[in-house]
Amino acid sequence: MTTPTPAPTRGYTATKDQLVARLRRVEGQVRGIEKMVDEDRYCIDVLTQISAIQAALDKVALGLLDGHARHCMHEGAAEGRADEMASEMMAAVGRLMKRG
């Protein structure tokens, strides 16, 4: 009988509950915007809510980047993969910054 392989530890593992709670709030905000559109609410009010969601997702992304830098990159450096991990993170930051 084989023992199950434990899930890998990620940079966000310690704050996973907080991360999931924040994502659930964002999910609720998105549903709220859907309702606003369904109710023909004023465009600027809808856009204001979209901006709030983007800010909330930015906070999630920054938390994930912080965890990645402190945990995943640290482990990668110990394995001799520091340059690879830095390039991977910078590519992710670049994707996050491209909007509109």
Side-chain angles (χ1 to χ4, degrees):
M1 179 186 228
T2 61
T3 57
T5 305
T9 301
R10 303 290 182 202
Y12 58 83
T13 299
T15 60
K16 188 175 183 177
D17 292 339
Q18 293 171 341
L19 178 63
V20 169
R22 183 168 291 199
L23 289 169
R24 286 189 178 137
R25 281 193 299 276
V26 168
E27 180 182 20
Q29 288 176 293
V30 171
R31 283 193 306 271
I33 289 176
E34 181 181 2
K35 184 177 178 186
M36 291 175 77
V37 169
D38 190 49
E39 295 172 351
D40 296 318
R41 298 280 296 272
Y42 186 55
C43 301
I44 299 303
D45 293 341
V46 176
L47 291 169
T48 299
Q49 292 304 310
I50 290 172
S51 179
I53 289 170
Q54 288 174 329
L57 286 173
D58 285 346
K59 284 186 178 184
V60 170
L62 285 173
L64 289 170
L65 283 170
D66 183 68
H68 183 73
R70 294 176 190 275
H71 175 79
C72 302
M73 289 187 67
H74 182 74
E75 283 188 356
E79 296 168 359
R81 300 176 29 226
D83 287 341
E84 173 191 342
M85 299 294 287
S87 294
E88 181 181 54
M89 187 171 99
M90 292 310 299
V93 170
R95 288 189 300 273
L96 284 168
M97 293 180 73
K98 287 184 184 178
R99 291 212 180 133

